[in-house]
Coordinates of all heavy atoms in Angstrom, one line a residue:
Q210 N -16.1 29.6 29.8 CA -17.3 29.5 29.0 C -17.9 28.1 29.1 O -17.2 27.1 28.9 CB -16.9 29.8 27.5 CG -18.2 29.7 26.6 CD -18.0 30.5 25.3 OE1 -17.6 31.6 25.3 NE2 -18.3 29.8 24.2
L211 N -19.2 28.1 29.4 CA -19.9 26.8 29.5 C -20.9 26.7 28.3 O -21.6 27.6 28.0 CB -20.8 26.8 30.7 CG -20.1 26.8 32.1 CD1 -21.1 26.9 33.2 CD2 -19.3 25.5 32.2
L212 N -20.8 25.5 27.6 CA -21.7 25.2 26.5 C -22.8 24.3 27.0 O -22.4 23.2 27.5 CB -20.9 24.6 25.3 CG -21.7 24.1 24.2 CD1 -22.5 25.2 23.5 CD2 -20.8 23.4 23.1
I213 N -24.0 24.7 27.0 CA -25.1 23.9 27.5 C -25.9 23.4 26.3 O -26.5 24.2 25.6 CB -26.0 24.7 28.5 CG1 -25.1 25.3 29.6 CG2 -27.1 23.8 29.0 CD1 -25.9 26.2 30.5
M214 N -25.9 22.1 26.1 CA -26.6 21.5 25.0 C -28.0 21.2 25.5 O -28.2 20.1 26.1 CB -25.9 20.3 24.4 CG -24.5 20.6 23.9 SD -24.5 21.6 22.4 CE -25.2 20.4 21.2
G215 N -28.9 22.1 25.4 CA -30.2 22.0 26.1 C -31.4 21.4 25.5 O -32.4 21.1 26.1
G216 N -31.3 21.3 24.1 CA -32.6 20.9 23.4 C -33.2 19.6 23.9 O -34.4 19.5 24.0
S217 N -32.3 18.6 24.2 CA -32.9 17.3 24.6 C -33.0 17.1 26.1 O -33.6 16.2 26.6 CB -31.9 16.2 24.1 OG -30.6 16.3 24.7
M218 N -32.6 18.1 26.9 CA -32.6 18.0 28.3 C -33.9 18.5 28.9 O -34.3 18.2 30.1 CB -31.5 18.7 29.0 CG -30.1 18.0 28.9 SD -28.7 19.0 29.4 CE -29.2 19.3 31.1
G219 N -34.7 19.2 28.1 CA -36.0 19.6 28.6 C -36.0 21.0 29.2 O -34.9 21.5 29.7
L220 N -37.1 21.7 29.2 CA -37.2 23.1 29.6 C -36.9 23.3 31.1 O -36.1 24.2 31.4 CB -38.6 23.6 29.3 CG -38.9 25.1 29.3 CD1 -39.9 25.5 28.3 CD2 -39.4 25.5 30.7
I221 N -37.4 22.5 31.9 CA -37.3 22.7 33.4 C -35.8 22.5 33.8 O -35.3 23.3 34.6 CB -38.2 21.7 34.2 CG1 -39.7 22.0 33.9 CG2 -37.9 21.8 35.7 CD1 -40.6 21.0 34.5
A222 N -35.2 21.5 33.3 CA -33.8 21.2 33.7 C -32.9 22.3 33.3 O -32.0 22.8 34.0 CB -33.3 19.9 33.1
I223 N -33.0 22.8 32.0 CA -32.2 23.9 31.5 C -32.5 25.2 32.3 O -31.5 26.0 32.6 CB -32.4 24.1 30.0 CG1 -31.9 22.9 29.3 CG2 -31.6 25.4 29.6 CD1 -30.4 22.6 29.5
E224 N -33.7 25.5 32.5 CA -34.1 26.7 33.3 C -33.4 26.7 34.6 O -32.8 27.7 35.1 CB -35.6 26.8 33.5 CG -36.3 27.4 32.3 CD -37.8 27.7 32.7 OE1 -38.5 26.7 32.9 OE2 -38.1 28.9 32.9
E225 N -33.4 25.6 35.3 CA -32.8 25.4 36.6 C -31.3 25.6 36.5 O -30.7 26.3 37.3 CB -33.1 24.1 37.2 CG -32.7 23.9 38.6 CD -33.2 22.6 39.2 OE1 -33.8 21.8 38.5 OE2 -32.8 22.3 40.4
A226 N -30.7 25.0 35.5 CA -29.2 25.1 35.3 C -28.8 26.5 35.1 O -27.8 27.1 35.7 CB -28.7 24.2 34.2
V227 N -29.5 27.2 34.2 CA -29.1 28.6 33.9 C -29.3 29.5 35.1 O -28.5 30.4 35.4 CB -30.0 29.1 32.7 CG1 -29.8 30.6 32.5 CG2 -29.6 28.4 31.4
A228 N -30.4 29.3 35.8 CA -30.7 30.1 37.0 C -29.5 30.0 38.0 O -29.1 30.9 38.6 CB -32.0 29.7 37.6
V229 N -29.1 28.7 38.2 CA -28.0 28.5 39.2 C -26.7 29.1 38.7 O -26.0 29.8 39.5 CB -27.8 26.9 39.4 CG1 -26.5 26.6 40.2 CG2 -29.0 26.3 40.2
L230 N -26.4 28.9 37.5 CA -25.1 29.4 36.9 C -25.0 30.9 36.8 O -23.9 31.4 37.0 CB -24.9 28.7 35.5 CG -24.7 27.2 35.6 CD1 -24.7 26.6 34.2 CD2 -23.3 26.9 36.2
L231 N -26.1 31.6 36.7 CA -26.1 33.0 36.6 C -25.8 33.7 38.0 O -25.6 34.9 38.1 CB -27.4 33.6 36.0 CG -27.5 33.4 34.5 CD1 -28.8 33.8 33.9 CD2 -26.3 34.1 33.7
T232 N -25.9 32.9 39.0 CA -25.6 33.4 40.4 C -24.1 33.3 40.7 O -23.6 33.7 41.7 CB -26.4 32.6 41.5 OG1 -26.0 31.3 41.5 CG2 -27.9 32.7 41.2
F233 N -23.4 32.7 39.8 CA -21.9 32.4 39.9 C -21.2 33.7 40.0 O -21.4 34.6 39.2 CB -21.4 31.6 38.8 CG -20.2 30.7 39.1 CD1 -20.4 29.6 39.8 CD2 -19.0 31.1 38.6 CE1 -19.3 28.7 40.1 CE2 -17.9 30.3 38.9 CZ -18.1 29.1 39.6
E234 N -20.3 33.9 41.1 CA -19.6 35.1 41.3 C -18.4 35.3 40.4 O -18.1 36.4 40.0 CB -19.2 35.2 42.7 CG -20.4 35.4 43.7 CD -20.0 35.4 45.1 OE1 -18.8 35.4 45.4 OE2 -20.9 35.5 46.0

Side-chain angles (χ1 to χ4, degrees):
Q210 181 160 310
L211 294 175
L212 174 61
I213 306 175
M214 300 293 290
S217 63
M218 284 172 58
L220 191 147
I221 295 173
I223 293 302
E224 277 192 286
E225 189 177 355
V227 171
V229 168
L230 292 169
L231 285 174
T232 65
F233 207 76
E234 293 178 2

